[in-house]
Amino acid sequence: MAAPFFSTPFQPYVYQSPQDAVIPFQILGGEAQIVQIMLKPQEKVIARPGSVCYTSGSIQIENVYIPEQEVGVWQWLFGKTATSIVLLNSGLSDGFVGIAAPSLARILPIDLAMFGGEILCQPDAFLCSVNDVKVSNTTDQRVHVAAVGVEGILRQKLSGQGLAFIVGGGSVVQKNLDVGEVVAVDASCIIALTSTVNVQVKYNAPVRRAVFGGENLVTAVLTGPGIVFIQSLPFYRLSQRVARAVTSPNMRENPKLFVQLAVFFFLAYVVIVSSLILIDV
């Protein structure tokens, strides 16, 4: 089989597992990328639900709960699915699967053996994996991190010696930090980092201002040694801007909406006060 063509900002390679199993893959596209993985008979890929784009005819798809992933309870509590997609090549010849990024994101191949067997990611960063990769969720015990949102409370940990693919929004930068080297990053822009990096959360304004919105309120101060992957467009920023673009024109074009809202709240206030008066009587 010919060597695959790669289209990725990172150094491409043909993955070779610790068991000497060689698995070619290629990353296609520029923004909303697809990773195509070649599978020999009885080889499989584990992916998150909703990420499968296409497969060859010999691939069997099964939605299963994988106990060793240890993500069921946490994902359920935060409204996420507790199952995974297993794609198995049940044929007698080589097959392939195409796994797509969930948004305008780039796909990053992470050979865990080259990262000390462990890397910490943002929730939902994991896309799919080959061979020995275990996905678990860890919580940060520092209470003040809770203001960052779910991304600050719940961190995804990938461990093992296999090949994992994670996604990052927009453009992606890899920073290799030396011992004692410090870099400050917006907390939402961190895709993944190695466990050797020390993370401290810094607030750029009083926490109460977060209630009224604002950008770049929380900064993560990262101290090396280690490796950090940084994304330029976190998904929540993209979704917020799309929502504003969709709703704001409607508000301007429909000034009656403000009057309707005022009438609604006034009637609700009258009903509540009337019920309280009747109860007291």
Side-chain angles (χ1 to χ4, degrees):
M1 182 180 60
F5 172 80
F6 295 86
S7 175
T8 171
F10 292 91
Q11 181 65 36
Y13 54 85
V14 175
Y15 170 70
Q16 183 171 353
S17 72
Q19 295 77 24
D20 294 329
V22 177
I23 300 179
F25 67 90
Q26 54 184 330
I27 297 178
L28 308 173
E31 299 302 332
Q33 294 185 325
I34 296 175
V35 55
Q36 180 173 293
I37 305 173
M38 304 300 296
L39 296 178
K40 295 180 180 179
Q42 300 308 310
E43 286 183 338
K44 65 181 179 181
V45 171
I46 297 177
R48 72 182 191 186
S51 62
V52 179
C53 184
Y54 58 85
T55 70
S56 60
S58 60
I59 303 298
Q60 289 185 348
I61 303 178
E62 187 177 3
N63 194 333
V64 300
Y65 173 71
I66 303 177
E68 59 267 24
Q69 300 291 39
E70 296 182 356
V71 296
V73 174
W74 282 110
Q75 288 198 347
W76 179 77
L77 287 176
F78 286 98
K80 303 180 185 298
T81 179
T83 60
S84 298
I85 299 294
V86 176
L87 301 105
L88 174 67
N89 183 10
S90 59
L92 300 178
S93 60
D94 292 354
F96 57 85
V97 299
I99 309 296
S103 61
L104 296 177
R106 295 187 178 274
I107 300 176
L108 318 179
I110 303 294
D111 188 349
L112 292 177
M114 300 177 61
F115 290 86
E118 180 179 293
I119 191 169
L120 298 175
C121 306
Q122 288 279 9
D124 291 334
F126 172 77
L127 181 65
C128 62
S129 65
V130 179
N131 292 334
D132 176 29
V133 176
K134 181 180 179 181
V135 182
S136 59
N137 288 328
T138 61
T139 56
D140 197 322
Q141 300 300 325
R142 294 169 295 182
V143 178
H144 61 270
V145 181
V148 185
V150 176
E151 288 77 7
I153 301 173
L154 185 63
R155 296 185 297 177
Q156 201 171 64
K157 181 172 70 174
L158 309 181
S159 57
Q161 298 296 314
L163 176 67
F165 295 91
I166 61 177
V167 293
S171 299
V172 176
V173 176
Q174 176 180 333
K175 293 289 186 181
N176 299 325
L177 303 180
D178 295 328
V179 178
E181 184 178 357
V182 178
V183 61
V185 184
D186 184 82
S188 63
C189 291
I190 301 174
I191 309 172
L193 48 79
T194 55
S195 57
T196 57
V197 177
N198 181 49
V199 182
Q200 292 183 339
V201 175
K202 175 184 176 182
Y203 291 95
N204 303 321
V207 179
R208 62 179 179 273
R209 294 185 186 176
V211 179
F212 301 99
E215 299 286 344
N216 303 108
L217 291 177
V218 181
T219 299
V221 180
L222 311 178
T223 306
I227 299 176
V228 183
F229 295 95
I230 303 171
Q231 59 184 344
S232 65
L233 185 61
F235 178 73
Y236 95 94
R237 287 188 185 175
L238 175 62
S239 61
Q240 282 184 342
R241 291 170 184 174
V242 171
R244 291 171 186 170
V246 171
T247 58
S248 297
N250 293 335
M251 295 285 285
R252 292 192 296 265
E253 294 170 3
N254 186 16
K256 294 190 299 181
L257 180 61
F258 294 101
V259 177
Q260 293 169 348
L261 290 174
V263 173
F264 171 79
F265 285 113
F266 175 77
L267 293 177
Y269 172 79
V270 172
V271 171
I272 294 173
V273 172
S274 301
S275 62
L276 291 176
I277 294 175
L278 292 176
I279 292 176
D280 291 337
V281 174

